Amino acid sequence: MSDRTFPQTSSSPILVLNGPNLNMLGTRQPEVYGSETLEDVIELCRRSAAARGREISHFQSNSEGEIIDRIHAAYGTVSGIVINPGGLTHTSVTLRDALVIPAVPIVEVHISNVHAREEFRRHSYISPIAAAVVAGMGSYGYVAAIDFLLTRTVQAD
Ligand code: DHK
């Protein structure tokens, strides 16, 4: 865990970001990504945060630029970021550069166990700047990530 990102002192929302193709959850390769839709997953995230008296803000896009714009808008307004970057995980230096800008803890989530799949999925541009990485836990990975951020974050207000 890096000292750069902890402790946080805000009760602002957790930003949950989903990258390309994650809007197709429930339809897309259910044997890999499960049968829950993105709406199901986000509802799970909302309930998980609400159980701790907190809120999430969610954004999904198939466009790298839109995701980066949303991260820029998060500056000063969120207390942590949970991101499943989809395929951008393995390709995007610009996404990584954007994610350090808000200077909040980040958890990288993958529904599938990327290490048990194709070789190219084992490399992540995001992991080195993440406080934690979750892979292979299905939708529960998002819940674990939110819980981690909310319980490991010092509340000032
Ligand atoms: C989702 C994707 O879209 C893939 O490109 C990643 C990740 C894995 C997941 O497991 O959630 O390689």
Side-chain angles (χ1 to χ4, degrees):
M1 192 181 299
S2 102
D3 289 341
R4 184 180 65 77
T5 52
F6 283 84
Q8 278 293 311
T9 55
S10 160
S11 60
S12 303
I14 299 286
L15 176 60
V16 179
L17 288 173
N18 280 287
N21 301 309
L22 289 158
N23 57 311
M24 297 304 288
L25 284 179
T27 302
R28 171 194 188 199
Q29 292 180 276
E31 70 285 4
V32 175
Y33 297 106
S35 56
E36 289 165 284
T37 64
L38 184 60
E39 289 69 29
D40 295 335
V41 172
I42 296 313
E43 180 56 25
L44 207 57
C45 291
R46 285 195 201 290
R47 283 193 205 156
S48 175
R52 297 192 180 278
R54 298 285 295 276
E55 291 183 351
I56 63 152
S57 166
H58 174 247
F59 184 73
Q60 187 278 331
S61 178
N62 295 322
S63 154
E64 183 173 8
E66 285 184 4
I67 295 167
I68 290 169
D69 287 343
R70 183 64 188 87
I71 294 166
H72 292 173
Y75 182 88
T77 68
V78 304
S79 59
I81 297 174
V82 172
I83 182 164
N84 183 342
L88 296 174
T89 308
H90 320 295
T91 62
S92 183
V93 173
T94 43
L95 178 60
R96 172 183 168 149
D97 286 348
L99 281 167
V100 298
I101 292 171
V104 294
I106 292 157
V107 182
E108 176 185 346
V109 172
H110 302 288
I111 293 166
S112 66
N113 178 359
V114 284
H115 299 285
R117 299 179 63 193
E118 300 95 329
E119 181 67 33
F120 69 83
R121 294 187 202 276
R122 293 186 189 173
H123 176 262
S124 166
Y125 280 100
I126 311 305
S127 297
I129 54 107
V133 180
V134 179
M137 291 191 188
S139 60
Y140 176 72
Y142 290 83
V143 173
I146 288 169
D147 223 45
F148 171 77
L149 288 175
L150 295 183
T151 56
R152 302 296 191 283
T153 298
V154 175
Q155 302 301 315
D157 46 6

